[in-house]
Amino acid sequence: ASSNLPTVKYSFPITNNFWISRLRDSSRCLSFQPSEALEIFKQLGDKRGISISYSGLCRICQQNQDIDKAIEYGYKALEISINLNDKWGMAIQYGTLGWLYEQKQDFNKATNYVLEALKIAIKMGNKRGISIDYRTLSRIYKQTQEFHKAVEYALMAFNLDKELNFCSGMAANCTLLGNIYEETRELDKSLQYYKQALDIQKEISVTRYLTIAYANLGRVYMELKQYQ
């Protein structure tokens, strides 16, 4: 039965579709949902493919706001990544689980998982991953009202994204800093970071994020009673 299965080549699923290429004819590519890919990889005994498929299913559940099911698939993907000593997969799954537990407002678990992801990212020298983990930790600490830590991690994320010239990340970090200072009622600092976020968003020219940047500024000006 296994002889009828395609030889597969795979990569981490960025979208809901999971691409499997037949190596015998590289010009042909079949698109499978992760659930279909999972069955193929199980039949092939390809553990990394199984892990990636679980990760894809986790992402779909995450997008559909089925957080508990997403966590279930995230754990399955993580378990296989640990058994394979797949550091990249482990970092992704730890980070994903951290985000999911943040959505459930289980901030202890969220923090623990993101810190695990951060440790691996630092060992791998993955600066983009480090920046993402710093920003996630900042969001968590903001929600637990540990504002000093929230600012510290957001600034570290900003500095890394600046080093990488990653403008979207820089803008996100400035927005987060604006949020933090708005919540602590340090409105002048909040305004400063919202303006910085807007300047970066103008360079990127993504309409949705520009709208958010203007809305943030408008809200603070209203609080400051600066209506002009």
Side-chain angles (χ1 to χ4, degrees):
S2 61
S3 61
N4 295 324
L5 291 169
T7 303
V8 293
K9 178 182 181 181
Y10 50 83
S11 60
F12 185 77
I14 301 303
T15 64
N16 288 355
N17 285 332
F18 194 97
W19 293 91
I20 301 177
S21 300
R22 293 178 184 266
L23 296 183
R24 299 170 195 160
D25 181 1
S26 59
S27 66
R28 296 177 62 197
C29 190
L30 302 177
S31 176
F32 291 91
Q33 289 295 319
S35 56
E36 298 170 308
L38 176 62
E39 294 309 311
I40 292 174
F41 285 125
K42 281 182 175 179
Q43 291 178 62
L44 289 169
D46 185 334
K47 291 183 178 179
R48 185 165 185 272
I50 294 169
S51 175
I52 290 171
S53 299
Y54 280 136
S55 184
L57 289 166
C58 173
R59 186 175 293 247
I60 290 173
C61 292
Q62 176 182 330
Q63 291 170 347
N64 292 334
Q65 296 299 306
D66 189 347
I67 302 300
D68 289 333
K69 197 69 178 175
I71 287 172
E72 179 185 330
Y73 285 125
Y75 276 131
K76 288 181 177 181
L78 175 61
E79 182 180 7
I80 296 171
S81 293
I82 290 172
N83 289 336
L84 294 174
N85 197 31
D86 175 8
K87 299 296 185 185
W88 190 268
M90 289 164 63
I92 289 170
Q93 296 313 319
Y94 278 131
T96 299
L97 286 166
W99 186 90
L100 290 168
Y101 277 112
E102 181 191 352
Q103 303 312 298
K104 286 176 68 73
Q105 297 191 319
D106 188 337
F107 298 122
N108 285 333
K109 282 187 178 178
T111 302
N112 289 337
Y113 281 118
V114 177
L115 287 173
E116 288 297 325
L118 179 60
K119 285 180 193 174
I120 296 171
I122 289 171
K123 285 182 181 177
M124 294 175 66
N126 178 10
K127 291 184 178 181
R128 184 75 193 92
I130 294 169
S131 170
I132 290 170
D133 294 334
Y134 281 158
R135 185 159 60 251
T136 304
L137 286 167
S138 177
R139 281 200 318 269
I140 292 169
Y141 287 129
K142 173 183 172 290
Q143 292 174 88
T144 58
Q145 297 191 323
E146 297 175 79
F147 296 117
H148 178 74
K149 286 184 179 180
V151 168
E152 179 183 352
Y153 278 105
L155 286 173
M156 289 194 294
F158 176 84
N159 289 332
L160 261 182
D161 285 333
K162 186 176 181 180
E163 180 184 333
L164 297 169
N165 196 31
F166 184 59
C167 292
S168 293
M170 291 164 63
N173 294 317
C174 285
T175 300
L176 180 53
L177 284 160
N179 293 160
I180 295 165
Y181 283 120
E182 185 178 355
E183 191 159 336
T184 60
R185 310 305 299 163
E186 297 174 80
L187 297 183
D188 287 339
K189 286 184 178 179
S190 178
L191 204 59
Q192 171 193 332
Y193 281 110
Y194 283 150
K195 284 179 179 178
Q196 196 170 347
L198 176 61
D199 289 341
I200 298 169
Q201 295 296 1
K202 284 179 179 177
E203 292 180 22
I204 302 170
S205 296
V206 178
T207 304
R208 175 170 157 247
Y209 294 126
L210 271 171
T211 302
I212 292 170
Y214 280 121
N216 287 334
L217 278 170
R219 189 175 59 251
V220 175
Y221 279 127
M222 286 284 288
E223 293 181 67
L224 290 169
K225 302 187 187 304
Q226 297 180 19
Y227 301 118
Q228 297 300 320

